[in-house]
Amino acid sequence: MIENPAVPSAVLLRVLLSAEDEPLRRAFRDAPGLPRDVVEVMLVHPEQAVRAAVAANPYIDAEQRGRLVHDRRRVVLANLFGYRTHPDGEPRPLPDAAYEAFFAARQWANAAREDQPWDELRLLEAMNRCASMPHRLRQALARHPQPGLRRFAARFVGGLSAEDRAALLTDPDPDVRAEAREVAGDDAEVYAGIDIDWDPENWGHSWVFGSRRVEREAMERVVRGEDCPDHYRSALAGNPHLPPDLVAVLARDEDPYVRDRVSLRPELTEEERAAIDYRVPELTDLDEVAWYPYLARSQSPVDYARSAHPVRRRQAACAPGLPDEVRDGLLADPDPGVRVLTCRHQIGVPAEDLLRAYREFRGRHRWRLTYRPGFPAHGLARFAADPDPAMRELVVLDPQAPAVVVAGLLADPERCVRTTLARHPAVPVERLLTMLDDPELAPYAARNPSLPIEAMHRILDATGVPGRG
């Protein structure tokens, strides 16, 4: 019921004031459209579970959530800077002042206690992974007046400019210099075979072969497949330090996954890429490719978009802020994965393209496409008899769907259609009240905006939530 967009503040506050229903409180982290006055109460609630729910809720106004940077509980801060994004795929950044206040306060400096499990490093690493934090602010840590934050920036020198890296290596603070030099030394270190776990039964040093410098003899051993884990070859296929002649060998590897990895190496020409017998995987999960934007930033996304390799074009589709002409070209791409990911990540996509992508994509998190700006709502009742159940579900988004159409879908043979349409405001109140006694439909009827407030209170009464009257 908390997810009901029409639930009034009085009902929500009744739940918040319940001292014994923590699971119900945690549901606030996924509730859309919470009233501002309710959020204000949650921001200062004595229970950290409530404040953590505000911190993690992607629907809440960024200015309100940003005030939690002053929270004294690290679990709240970790939720605030976590990697949850809005269902439309876009991270919601906090105001710049919120990030700056977090760094200035140094709230993480105290040693971790038993009731405060987030130590300084883990919290800062959560901040570093924060997808919504503008990269320019992350880079600014290298020039922060506090040595502790410059030292943290030194752990990620690979993402800094040459000038900032050089400044950290000669920083006036000895701890900052030591950290920067240690990381720089790690990047320059060449791993010898004697330092590597070669046991075929172990996961071993995949991370070394995937990104670090390795002596040639060890690389050749992996390429030949001599007494080493098979997955070392697929890791090595993406290693930026792999010599061209060994790249050519792995491009003909018997393992198709190895060839797939080689085909995406950025230094290859389009002709070299086309000569590899690679596969194009089916797009099965909108969230599986959430890391594509970071790959596409290693070169110009426009270059990726012009590639003949469909997966590289998918990577371009996920890079934010593509020029309109590049976006429009990807929307007309022959690869369905490119078209769907363009709709998922780009702004200004026409409604007909968004609807087409929803119809074409049959993988996980398909419904998230309906959250994209511009997804059509009016006229969706025409899909009430579509053979695809997910298309019939779209009728719930049509505010003008006739009541008779909605009533028919409540008896649909597919459970997903019945439960989805139970949330349509065209369901008569009398029918809604009877659905509250239906074990299948009751949880979804409780989210219907036409549900009377008195019925909402009765639901809380039945679940034992105190506060009535």
Side-chain angles (χ1 to χ4, degrees), residues 37-289:
D37 61 334
V38 173
V39 175
E40 289 295 322
V41 173
M42 296 177 71
L43 289 171
V44 296
H45 198 280
E47 296 292 334
Q48 72 174 26
V50 175
R51 303 196 306 277
V54 177
N57 189 318
Y59 302 99
I60 292 176
D61 178 73
E63 180 275 328
Q64 282 190 298
R65 290 176 63 238
R67 283 156 49 196
L68 286 171
V69 297
H70 300 292
D71 200 283
R72 302 176 67 86
R73 291 288 181 173
R74 295 186 182 92
V75 68
V76 176
L77 294 171
N79 276 278
L80 183 64
F81 299 123
Y83 46 82
R84 295 189 83 218
T85 62
H86 191 278
D88 70 3
E90 294 294 331
R92 295 295 192 265
L94 303 174
D96 284 6
Y99 297 108
E100 293 164 358
F102 170 79
F103 291 126
R106 289 301 306 268
Q107 292 170 329
W108 56 85
N110 296 329
R113 301 193 306 271
E114 185 175 341
D115 65 334
Q116 194 103 307
W118 291 90
D119 59 20
E120 175 181 358
L121 181 59
R122 291 180 65 189
L123 184 55
L124 284 172
E125 287 180 344
M127 164 65 83
N128 189 62
R129 294 192 301 269
C130 181
S132 64
M133 180 181 174
H135 189 55
R136 56 183 166 75
L137 295 180
R138 189 178 285 107
Q139 290 176 314
L141 294 181
R143 302 180 296 277
H144 199 280
Q146 295 184 25
L149 291 173
R150 298 200 304 278
R151 182 179 178 185
F152 174 72
R155 296 173 59 88
F156 305 95
V157 293
L160 300 176
S161 67
E163 294 78 11
D164 286 338
R165 288 198 299 271
L168 290 173
L169 288 168
T170 58
D171 195 276
D173 186 281
D175 291 335
V176 177
R177 291 198 305 272
E179 187 76 35
R181 290 170 183 174
E182 180 179 351
V183 174
D186 287 345
D187 289 341
E189 179 182 358
V190 177
Y191 283 78
I194 194 172
D195 301 320
I196 292 172
D197 180 1
W198 294 104
D199 188 340
E201 301 300 321
N202 293 343
W203 188 251
H205 283 79
S206 294
W207 62 276
V208 171
F209 286 108
S211 61
R212 309 307 286 268
R213 299 178 187 273
V214 183
E215 66 176 7
R216 176 159 183 118
E217 182 179 348
M219 287 185 173
E220 290 178 346
R221 177 176 174 177
V222 170
V223 169
R224 293 193 302 266
E226 291 182 359
D227 299 322
C228 66
D230 287 340
H231 54 263
Y232 279 4
R233 291 205 319 283
S234 59
L236 190 61
N239 190 308
H241 308 293
L242 188 64
D245 60 319
L246 296 185
V247 171
V249 174
L250 290 182
R252 302 187 299 273
D253 195 274
E254 62 181 14
D255 186 340
Y257 184 67
V258 173
R259 299 195 303 271
D260 294 346
R261 295 261 307 187
V262 173
S263 72
L264 295 174
R265 293 184 64 90
E267 77 274 15
L268 296 183
T269 66
E270 286 299 304
E271 292 75 18
E272 291 170 331
R273 219 180 297 281
I276 300 173
D277 182 21
Y278 63 80
R279 305 164 303 175
V280 178
E282 181 182 359
L283 183 64
T284 59
D285 188 330
L286 286 179
D287 288 349
E288 278 181 358
V289 293

Side-chain angles (χ1 to χ4, degrees), residues 375-389:
F375 194 91
H378 297 284
L380 297 178
R382 69 184 186 275
F383 297 118
D386 196 281
D388 180 359

Side-chain angles (χ1 to χ4, degrees), residues 349-358 367 369-383 391 394-399:
V349 176
E352 59 269 21
D353 288 295
L354 291 167
L355 186 59
R356 176 192 180 189
Y358 181 85
W367 190 256
L369 287 165
T370 65
Y371 286 94
R372 295 300 295 162
F375 194 91
H378 297 284
L380 297 178
R382 69 184 186 275
F383 297 118
M391 294 301 294
L394 288 181
V395 177
V396 76
L397 301 178
D398 190 343

